[in-house]
Amino acid sequence: MQQKFFRFFFRGRCLYNCLTVRELLKKLIQAESTPDKGELAAAEVISAELGRSGIDSRIDSWDRTRANIIAQVKSAGTRAALLFACHLDVVGPGEAAWEKPAFGAVESDGKIYGRGSADMKGGIAAIVTAIRRIVDSGTKLQGDIIFFAAAGEETDSCGAKRFISDSGRLPEFIGVVIPEPTDFEIVTAHRGMLWLEVATKGKAAHGSTPHLGVNAIASMRSVLDELENYPRVFLPKTRAGAEPHKLLGECSMSINTIAGGKALNVVPDKCSIGIDIRTLPAQNHQDIITDLERIFAKLKSENPQFDAEVSLLRQVQALETDCSCDFVKDFCSAVEDNKTRAVGFTTDGPYFASLGAPVVIFGPGKPQLCHKPDEYIEVSDVEKAAEYYRNIILKFLT
Ligand SMILES: [Zn+2]
């Protein structure tokens, strides 16, 4: 339910009950939008704050705690809309101890501490404040501002997928800005992510009679031997698009989990590994899965007892925005920087790129603080970001 507020303005500023950018950031951190608790509370903080400037928003919630929020600032409609796409969720606080409470939003020495402060509630507080300032000032816009913040970016991109699946109802976009923490660098590319699980199947037997069973861990050893050479030799040479990319470097593959065996006296009938593959824009994820299936077929032809299968756990495509397009050029001039870069982490960007609009990632906060204990953001950076976003809106929409 949208609350209605009376608004009082003085020289274009909302004086009624509006939060400062730092107060908004603190409320967002305190909303604790971990995968367990969900995004609904954070979405409600934003909805209330936009409501104070008379901006209607829609919270799309499902599975009790999952939530996206979408707001649209209407314009004269003579230009395409500008989309700001964020994510509401944060990763959990992790196992390592924090000096400051993970969801306390403690402010000290010009920094606000807390899970999500940098990734990416600082960016959300800045863009929500920028939109409110534009609306409160009565600026006439030629194109709509669409604000979107997604559920589940850190887990399965469920919110972004849900948003773009509704693309028939979305307007045409001039471009998409993702306020993730890039420390104010203009990012136009990142590698894709392909997470696979390989499971080998065997036959359980007593540990004293291993010849009566099929050892799934031994089968996994053959898989590991084959995979040893796969990223270095097979992957780059046999697949077009896997040669090193000028911004992103090489594709990579790392086996990061392994599980198998239940007891010391039982031949294991199951073993599984988790593989993290980072891909380049021209690589096709299905080709890689097909390669693994071919490797398993070869191993089975050598040893009929071998049995393995691969399953897809998660994938995000790579992002590569054409740096010579007008949107990127105008974006560079709006923030007075002409360098574009690539980053190591992935975002929901490729989902928004699938709408056909150029995507730029640009926001406050240091990427190296993300997902770590005592994550923080400088308050001055959040305030600076709000000014940048206001300039970007004015550049594209007035
Ligand atoms: Zn993020």
Side-chain angles (χ1 to χ4, degrees):
M1 179 86 163
Q2 186 69 49
Q3 272 180 282
K4 290 283 172 219
F5 290 88
F6 291 105
R7 285 180 294 147
F8 297 90
F9 294 102
F10 178 72
R11 289 188 189 149
R13 304 199 73 157
C14 175
L15 294 181
Y16 184 79
N17 224 2
C18 291
L19 299 178
T20 62
V21 69
R22 52 147 62 77
E23 287 166 343
L24 175 58
L25 171 56
K26 288 179 186 176
K27 284 202 166 197
L28 287 169
I29 293 169
Q30 287 157 354
E32 213 177 320
S33 41
T34 56
D36 289 348
K37 299 211 166 164
E39 299 84 4
L40 195 53
E44 281 165 354
V45 169
I46 296 169
S47 174
E49 185 58 12
L50 290 170
R52 288 180 184 117
S53 287
I55 304 162
D56 283 334
S57 56
R58 182 168 68 86
I59 295 176
D60 172 21
S61 68
W62 67 100
D63 288 352
R64 293 208 321 272
T65 56
R66 312 317 305 271
N68 283 346
I69 178 167
I70 304 128
Q72 181 162 11
V73 178
K74 287 279 187 189
S75 68
T78 55
R79 286 192 208 163
L82 181 61
L83 172 63
F84 287 89
C86 310
H87 66 85
L88 293 169
D89 61 316
V90 298
V91 295
E95 308 263 292
W98 287 58
E99 259 179 50
K100 309 270 194 300
F103 298 100
V106 171
E107 184 173 348
S108 153
D109 285 338
K111 299 172 181 131
I112 292 176
Y113 288 82
R115 174 58 81 229
S117 53
D119 185 12
M120 60 171 290
K121 289 174 169 174
I124 296 177
I127 180 58
V128 168
T129 301
I131 292 171
R132 272 200 33 238
R133 286 178 184 163
I134 292 269
V135 169
D136 292 349
S137 70
T139 306
K140 293 270 170 288
L141 298 174
Q142 298 304 312
D144 294 0
I145 308 169
I146 312 281
F147 167 84
F148 170 65
E153 191 266 357
E154 302 285 5
T155 49
D156 55 5
S157 299
C158 56
K161 286 182 198 164
R162 197 171 160 101
F163 177 75
I164 63 159
S165 71
D166 214 9
S167 61
R169 284 171 43 185
L170 295 172
E172 192 196 332
F173 294 117
I174 193 168
V176 182
V177 181
I178 300 188
E180 288 267 21
T182 65
D183 207 11
F184 300 115
E185 294 195 331
I186 304 166
V187 171
T188 54
H190 61 63
R191 294 189 297 174
M193 185 172 80
L194 177 62
W195 285 356
L196 300 174
E197 183 185 77
V198 171
T200 51
K201 271 188 242 156
K203 189 176 152 207
H206 195 279
S208 64
T209 54
H211 57 284
L212 298 178
V214 176
N215 190 316
I217 293 178
S219 300
M220 189 57 81
R221 185 182 57 199
S222 331
V223 173
L224 293 173
D225 285 345
E226 291 286 334
L227 292 182
E228 184 75 29
N229 291 324
Y230 178 74
R232 189 168 49 81
V233 182
F234 191 70
L235 184 57
K237 287 200 179 149
T238 59
R239 292 293 182 202
E243 37 302 305
H245 183 277
K246 59 183 187 318
L247 283 176
L248 297 164
E250 297 186 342
C251 56
S252 68
M253 172 169 155
S254 184
I255 296 159
N256 293 341
T257 62
I258 185 161
K262 283 191 192 124
L264 256 173
N265 58 355
V266 180
V267 174
D269 61 351
K270 265 188 230 147
C271 182
S272 64
I273 56 171
I275 313 175
D276 181 356
I277 303 172
R278 302 298 167 125
T279 56
L280 299 176
Q283 282 180 289
N284 181 320
H285 289 181
Q286 186 53 48
D287 283 349
I288 295 170
I289 293 171
T290 305
D291 282 346
L292 294 187
E293 285 166 346
R294 285 203 186 113
I295 289 171
F296 302 157
K298 187 190 92 153
L299 290 170
K300 192 162 182 74
S301 74
E302 292 163 5
N303 171 11
Q305 291 189 316
F306 176 87
D307 189 1
E309 58 181 31
V310 56
S311 45
L312 175 64
L313 299 181
R314 189 182 180 194
Q315 63 174 332
V316 178
Q317 300 299 321
L319 176 73
E320 186 176 36
T321 302
D322 176 10
C323 297
S324 64
C325 74
D326 287 346
F327 179 73
V328 175
K329 283 192 203 151
D330 289 344
F331 190 94
C332 289
S333 93
V335 302
E336 296 175 337
D337 182 4
N338 53 20
K339 255 206 202 115
T340 57
R341 294 170 175 84
V343 280
F345 58 85
T346 58
T347 70
D348 276 340
Y351 291 103
F352 304 111
S354 74
L355 297 171
V359 175
V360 164
I361 308 164
F362 177 86
K366 296 185 175 30
Q368 62 270 25
L369 299 174
C370 302
H371 303 197
K372 305 243 173 80
D374 292 308
E375 178 183 343
Y376 68 83
I377 195 162
E378 308 263 353
V379 176
S380 60
D381 278 353
V382 187
E383 276 161 1
K384 198 162 114 188
E387 269 313 288
Y388 272 128
Y389 295 140
R390 200 179 75 93
N391 290 341
I392 290 162
I393 293 168
L394 294 176
K395 173 88 184 174
F396 286 102
L397 300 181
T398 61

